[in-house]
Amino acid sequence: MGIISPSKYHSFYFHVKKLLRWMFFATVPLLLFRFYFYPHPILHSHPVHISSSVSPSTIEKEDANEPPCDYTNGRWVHDTNGPLYNGTTCGTIKEGQNCIRHGRPDLGFLYWRWRPEQCKLPRFEPNTFLQLLRNKHLAFVGDSMARNQLESLLCLLATASVPKLVHRDGENNKFRRWYFESYNTSISIYWSPFLVKGVEKSKSGPDHNELYLDHLDEKWAADMDGFQVIVLSIGHWFLHPAVYYEDGHVIGCHYCPGLNHTEIGFYDVLRKAFKTTLNTVIERVKTKRNGIDVILATFSPSHFEGEWDKFGACPKTEPYGKGEKSLEGMDAEMRQIGIEAMEAAKLNSYLHELRLEALDISKLSLMRPDGHPGPYMHPNPFANGITERVQNDCVHWCLPGPVDTWNQILLEVMKRWEYESRQEEN
């Protein structure tokens, strides 16, 4: 093989360099075309991994730079699809909220759905919810609004898998647990209208509630190690007459004429109840190192026209339109206390094992004065004609009804958590 002369070598090198430069400028437009129209196989060589227990189609990919969807602001729009379950056949509805069975004639309240301003709220997917709760225990803790949401959820899930009641205890079965065998999923209700330790007023005891603000109610807290998800929901019981204790001493009361205690209202008391609850959950998670997701449902406004204890009613048959009703006064303050309590708890917790979220349902619920049982808290209230005074329930919600939307949003929160957890694993 002969030796190449320097002049020929430089000529050869020059032509190769020229050819490479031409190939580079010819290839760049092709690559840009490829990236623009078919980006995923190249830009995402490692696709997003979703748990095998949840179908990827049920969880949409979210932009990591975008904040979570704000479901608070929106409006109620007509929905010809109607409710997601049959209220006359769902067996877990409390009698007082079974408006259809009790003869409510105007069924237009069933044909509305909540439309957020800047995002979509899909219809509830029972199988997705149960997949996300596979091998987990979800506990609703609070007052009758917690029970109202629980019963809505059971009806929604029963369209895919019928729950089995496996435990009941307490007066009026205030502590119950259902089991979905196919998913090894438990859903419970724990009656605790203050979250903290309390003694409820009764005919045989005091005519006011007694709250011990620095102690959690162990009727539910004792089982906390077995929970993976907790939904807290309280508020209305704080409006009742009560005496408050801290460190074993009375610090004041609310509406306690005849007692030598300082009137301090209930707003600060509610703040302390939330603080005690959330701080105790955080401390127990730190000690036990078992992960818990905590959701706090904000205050659900009532719609009495007139005083609730003097036969006030809620006669409206349609939602308020956008801008027709504002959250204000006590309703706004009660909601804000819950929001601020959850934000403070987030700052106090730096654990991956604990996720905290406010389920802000106050504004969307305020706009549904038509969603309550009203006189149909009792069967056929006008069977004997229209009487002058009929007791109304303008606090709780008919099932099916607006409370189903709370669980739609709850599912979206859980789907986002699932996506975020998978992103962290990758």
Side-chain angles (χ1 to χ4, degrees):
M1 183 175 181
I3 298 175
I4 301 176
S5 66
S7 61
K8 289 183 178 180
Y9 175 81
H10 287 295
S11 176
F12 172 76
Y13 177 77
F14 172 78
H15 287 296
V16 171
K17 186 175 181 181
K18 185 176 181 180
L19 178 62
L20 291 173
R21 185 183 296 116
W22 180 87
M23 290 176 64
F24 172 77
F25 285 110
T27 305
V28 167
L30 293 175
L31 289 173
L32 291 175
F33 179 89
R34 180 67 176 81
F35 282 154
Y36 185 80
F37 289 101
Y38 304 97
H40 297 292
I42 296 176
L43 295 180
H44 300 293
S45 58
H46 300 287
V48 175
H49 172 68
I50 299 297
S51 168
S52 59
S53 63
V54 182
S55 170
S57 63
T58 64
I59 301 180
E60 298 180 358
K61 183 180 180 302
E62 300 180 17
D63 188 333
N65 295 321
E66 292 183 0
C69 179
D70 179 10
Y71 298 104
T72 305
N73 296 311
R75 59 193 177 96
W76 290 96
V77 297
H78 280 286
D79 180 14
T80 57
N81 291 320
L84 295 158
Y85 57 90
N86 188 332
T88 61
T89 59
C90 182
T92 53
I93 301 176
K94 188 177 187 296
E95 192 68 14
Q97 279 85 66
N98 205 327
C99 307
I100 300 174
R101 182 175 291 177
H102 284 180
R104 178 170 174 170
D106 60 309
L107 300 183
F109 75 96
L110 298 172
Y111 295 91
W112 298 90
R113 65 180 173 86
W114 180 247
R115 178 185 287 173
E117 292 286 355
Q118 298 176 339
C119 49
K120 294 180 179 179
L121 180 59
R123 283 174 71 85
F124 188 88
E125 303 161 333
N127 286 307
T128 301
F129 195 100
L130 287 167
Q131 291 281 18
L132 290 168
L133 274 183
R134 184 179 290 277
N135 302 320
K136 294 181 180 180
H137 186 176
L138 164 62
F140 285 86
V141 182
D143 56 21
S144 56
M145 303 313 298
R147 185 196 64 225
N148 210 172
Q149 184 178 358
L150 160 95
E151 292 171 352
S152 161
L153 180 61
L154 290 175
C155 288
L156 289 166
L157 297 178
T159 62
S161 179
V162 178
K164 180 181 180 181
L165 181 63
V166 294
H167 174 77
R168 66 174 73 192
D169 190 19
E171 183 184 355
N172 297 322
N173 299 317
K174 291 181 176 179
F175 302 87
R176 290 174 291 168
R177 184 170 71 254
W178 288 263
Y179 184 63
F180 295 82
E181 185 174 7
S182 299
Y183 298 88
N184 189 31
T185 295
S186 296
I187 298 180
S188 298
I189 179 69
Y190 286 80
W191 174 261
S192 183
F194 314 113
L195 299 182
V196 294
K197 180 181 176 181
V199 178
E200 299 171 27
K201 61 181 180 180
S202 64
K203 294 180 180 179
S204 59
D207 59 357
H208 56 265
N209 299 315
E210 296 179 349
L211 279 67
Y212 298 83
L213 301 175
D214 47 357
H215 295 283
L216 212 54
D217 180 4
E218 290 297 328
K219 290 179 181 178
W220 70 270
D223 292 345
M224 194 186 304
D225 288 351
F227 304 155
Q228 283 72 49
V229 185
I230 306 175
V231 177
L232 306 173
S233 182
I234 59 171
H236 287 275
W237 274 70
F238 285 77
L239 312 183
H240 299 166
V243 175
Y244 311 122
Y245 295 81
E246 276 187 319
D247 295 325
H249 303 289
V250 175
I251 62 168
C253 71
H254 169 58
Y255 195 69
C256 55
L259 298 178
N260 189 24
H261 302 316
T262 303
E263 170 69 44
I264 62 174
F266 52 83
Y267 290 139
D268 284 339
V269 171
L270 181 61
R271 288 188 182 93
K272 290 182 178 182
F274 280 139
K275 182 177 180 180
T276 295
T277 300
L278 295 172
N279 285 350
T280 304
V281 171
I282 291 170
E283 290 303 314
R284 294 193 184 184
V285 169
K286 287 180 180 178
T287 303
K288 301 295 184 181
R289 307 300 295 177
N290 59 319
I292 298 180
D293 298 330
V294 182
I295 294 110
L296 191 157
T298 59
F299 187 71
S300 174
S302 62
H303 292 90
F304 286 101
E305 294 186 9
E307 298 182 44
W308 71 270
D309 58 347
K310 295 181 180 179
F311 297 94
C314 38
K316 289 186 170 55
T317 57
E318 290 190 355
Y320 289 117
K322 184 172 175 59
E324 189 177 352
K325 185 73 171 178
S326 299
L327 193 69
E328 56 191 9
M330 184 199 72
D331 294 334
E333 185 68 19
M334 296 290 275
R335 168 192 173 269
Q336 191 62 28
I337 290 171
I339 296 290
E340 291 175 353
M342 188 55 79
E343 292 304 312
K346 288 180 181 179
L347 294 176
N348 192 29
S349 172
Y350 301 96
L351 300 173
H352 293 296
E353 292 84 2
L354 180 66
R355 291 185 291 199
L356 303 164
E357 185 90 14
L359 188 68
D360 192 353
I361 50 82
S362 299
K363 293 180 182 179
L364 65 89
S365 300
L366 176 74
M367 297 171 70
R368 290 303 306 272
D370 59 320
H372 302 289
Y376 296 97
M377 61 184 295
H378 300 297
N380 304 310
F382 304 113
N384 298 320
I386 299 176
T387 58
E388 182 180 355
R389 292 186 173 185
V390 177
Q391 186 179 3
N392 279 254
D393 180 356
C394 303
V395 177
H396 303 99
W397 302 95
C398 291
L399 294 176
V403 69
D404 297 326
T405 302
W406 304 5
N407 289 316
Q408 284 181 269
I409 299 173
L410 175 60
L411 173 55
E412 295 307 302
V413 171
M414 292 169 58
K415 286 163 66 176
R416 173 166 55 80
W417 279 347
E418 171 74 5
Y419 173 78
E420 290 172 350
S421 66
R422 297 305 166 184
Q423 288 294 93
E424 291 175 2
E425 291 179 5
N426 293 332

